[in-house]
Amino acid sequence: MEQNPELAQKIAADVALRLERSKTDIPVGVSNRHVHLCQADWNTLFGAGTEPRKLKATKQPGYWAAYETVGVEGPKGRIEKLRLVAPHRPRTQVEVSLSDAKVLGLKPPIRNSGSLDGTAPVRIVGPKGSLDLTQGLIIAGRHLHLAPAEAQALSLKDGDVVRLRAGAPERSVVFERVLCRVSDKFSLEFHIDTDEANAARLKTGDTAHLV
Amino acid sequence: MEQNPELAQKIAADVALRLERSKTDIPVGVSNRHVHLCQADWNTLFGAGTEPRKLKATKQPGYWAAYETVGVEGPKGRIEKLRLVAPHRPRTQVEVSLSDAKVLGLKPPIRNSGSLDGTAPVRIVGPKGSLDLTQGLIIAGRHLHLAPAEAQALSLKDGDVVRLRAGAPERSVVFERVLCRVSDKFSLEFHIDTDEANAARLKTGDTAHLV
């Protein structure tokens, strides 16, 4: 076989990158059902002139869970106490699991946060009023948050699609089609919902690895 | 590079096997929470001298879902209408998902069917009586049923551990640690529970593939 130093170097670099990726412990964040509201919808549900109160910070800088919760309703059922995540966003978005959707009797698509056109309708009930949204209900697609420095260290960029292995030994799962989202507002965390967490027996703070 | 016809032949055979496996459509069976009873426990819950009535056959030959259901209770909650699967077994076994276990406030281990020593306690409530089991509650480990001829065609044997890819395109998952169970009582089916199904947006009759 002919020597090819360039190819050998390329392969060595590739192997080193794969090893680096597989060695990096990535914290898992399990997203329970929750809601983001726009200011107008907040006003309808909780009353104009009021503000959400901070309960605790989320791992993603800038966002926090509020004391306030809402109920959501569909044709088959109702779920109480969806946590509000603040600060408010330009558009109202309700994130549930597929299990939740079955309880409600609704069929939300799997979407990335903020991508709401053509999503499912849902009724939201607050202490001061209720809303019948024509869209805004989604199952959040699994995704990997990265700060720019973290993305650079792993040779990943915004929009890349990766695979991650996680789970209890007897329930190990490789999650495919994981979207990378890179922003200086993010820090390294693999976001899954409660169905995905239960399928692999994962909880927030457990560890995943790039495959 | 030296020629090595034996090695080449071995690699070709291996590639052919992998291709054969990956091409084989394997039906997915989603197991909802259910219960198997021993005769004595049936007598306690439903009354001696009575028999379960067949509702419908399951895909696995010989077993059927009964009209009869039970309730189960744990320290945090109760779940109604767990379907009885008959005929009766030597030992009573309650199979739930991790989501169900959280509702009950119980911590069942992930186990193979029939492997009940040291599993979780649970209370079962029937129309004629109730039972406080000291063990018998499990989360069923995912597994692949095969008839002997199917196992032979895929070069698999009882006890092998395989990986299967399944799920909606945007929720594709590779389920690892899938136990192969070969018996002339079985037919080809990949059994997962409702959490696993919801994590990958799968339903009974969908298709999985060996990886």
Side-chain angles (χ1 to χ4, degrees):
Chain A
M1 209 161 85
E2 277 185 59
Q3 297 293 323
N4 182 337
E6 272 175 37
L7 180 63
Q9 212 162 23
K10 190 172 174 304
I11 290 171
D14 189 51
V15 168
L17 173 61
R18 283 166 183 268
L19 191 65
E20 181 58 34
R21 285 182 174 176
S22 70
K23 282 194 308 188
T24 303
D25 286 349
I26 297 177
V28 172
V30 181
S31 296
N32 207 340
R33 59 183 83 106
H34 65 277
V35 59
H36 304 272
L37 296 175
C38 67
Q39 184 64 52
D41 289 349
W42 164 270
N43 292 352
T44 303
L45 296 169
F46 290 92
T50 64
E51 294 286 340
R53 294 162 299 149
K54 183 170 175 173
L55 175 64
K56 61 176 181 184
T58 68
K59 178 113 197 265
Q60 296 312 313
Y63 283 101
W64 40 273
Y67 277 100
E68 288 77 11
T69 63
V70 299
V72 291
E73 289 180 5
K76 278 185 62 179
R78 178 175 170 138
I79 296 175
E80 305 289 346
K81 295 192 180 173
L82 263 77
R83 182 71 55 194
L84 172 67
V85 175
H88 297 320
R89 288 202 181 176
R91 294 173 76 182
T92 291
Q93 172 175 320
V94 181
E95 299 182 38
V96 297
S97 70
L98 183 52
S99 302
D100 294 334
K102 288 177 177 177
V103 170
L104 297 170
L106 291 168
K107 296 195 171 178
I110 296 161
R111 284 291 179 88
N112 301 323
S113 187
S115 172
L116 300 179
D117 290 340
T119 56
V122 67
R123 181 176 171 81
I124 309 182
V125 181
K128 293 285 170 64
S130 62
L131 281 170
D132 284 291
L133 296 186
T134 55
Q135 57 186 31
L137 183 70
I138 64 168
I139 296 169
R142 51 180 84 124
H143 55 274
L144 178 64
H145 284 283
L146 303 114
E150 292 159 345
Q152 195 176 8
L154 294 165
S155 294
L156 293 171
K157 60 184 191 303
D158 192 61
D160 280 353
V161 174
V162 296
R163 308 193 308 151
L164 286 112
R165 175 175 283 122
E170 68 273 46
R171 286 214 133 183
S172 175
V173 157
V174 177
F175 293 102
E176 306 194 296
R177 304 282 189 113
V178 179
L179 179 69
C180 294
R181 299 179 59 202
V182 181
S183 162
D184 54 14
K185 291 179 186 160
F186 294 157
S187 75
L188 191 66
E189 195 171 38
F190 174 41
H191 275 199
I192 56 176
D193 70 15
T194 46
D195 285 336
E196 293 167 321
N198 288 334
R201 202 176 223 173
L202 282 164
K203 59 184 188 309
T204 291
D206 285 350
T207 300
H209 294 97
L210 287 156
V211 178
Chain B
M1 210 162 85
E2 280 186 58
Q3 298 292 323
N4 183 339
E6 273 176 36
L7 180 63
Q9 211 161 26
K10 190 172 172 304
I11 290 171
D14 189 50
V15 168
L17 173 61
R18 282 165 184 268
L19 192 65
E20 181 59 35
R21 284 183 174 174
S22 70
K23 282 195 306 188
T24 303
D25 286 349
I26 297 177
V28 171
V30 181
S31 297
N32 207 339
R33 59 182 85 106
H34 64 278
V35 59
H36 303 275
L37 295 175
C38 68
Q39 184 64 51
D41 288 350
W42 164 270
N43 292 351
T44 302
L45 296 168
F46 290 92
T50 64
E51 294 286 340
R53 293 162 302 149
K54 183 170 175 172
L55 175 63
K56 61 175 179 182
T58 67
K59 179 111 197 265
Q60 296 312 313
Y63 282 101
W64 40 273
Y67 276 100
E68 288 78 10
T69 62
V70 300
V72 292
E73 289 180 6
K76 278 185 64 180
R78 177 175 171 138
I79 297 176
E80 305 290 345
K81 295 193 179 172
L82 261 78
R83 182 70 54 195
L84 172 67
V85 175
H88 297 320
R89 288 201 181 178
R91 295 173 75 181
T92 291
Q93 171 175 321
V94 181
E95 299 182 37
V96 296
S97 71
L98 183 52
S99 302
D100 294 333
K102 289 176 177 177
V103 170
L104 298 171
L106 291 168
K107 296 197 170 178
I110 297 162
R111 285 292 179 88
N112 301 322
S113 186
S115 171
L116 300 178
D117 291 341
T119 56
V122 66
R123 181 176 171 81
I124 308 182
V125 181
K128 292 287 170 65
S130 62
L131 280 170
D132 284 292
L133 296 186
T134 55
Q135 58 186 30
L137 182 70
I138 65 169
I139 297 168
R142 54 180 81 123
H143 54 274
L144 178 63
H145 284 283
L146 303 116
E150 291 159 347
Q152 194 177 7
L154 294 165
S155 294
L156 291 171
K157 59 182 191 304
D158 192 61
D160 280 354
V161 174
V162 295
R163 308 194 307 151
L164 287 112
R165 174 175 283 121
E170 69 273 47
R171 284 215 133 182
S172 174
V173 156
V174 176
F175 293 102
E176 306 194 295
R177 303 283 190 115
V178 179
L179 180 68
C180 294
R181 299 179 60 202
V182 181
S183 161
D184 54 15
K185 292 180 186 158
F186 294 156
S187 75
L188 191 66
E189 194 171 39
F190 174 41
H191 275 200
I192 56 176
D193 70 16
T194 46
D195 286 336
E196 293 166 323
N198 288 335
R201 202 175 223 175
L202 283 164
K203 58 185 189 307
T204 291
D206 285 349
T207 300
H209 295 98
L210 286 156
V211 178

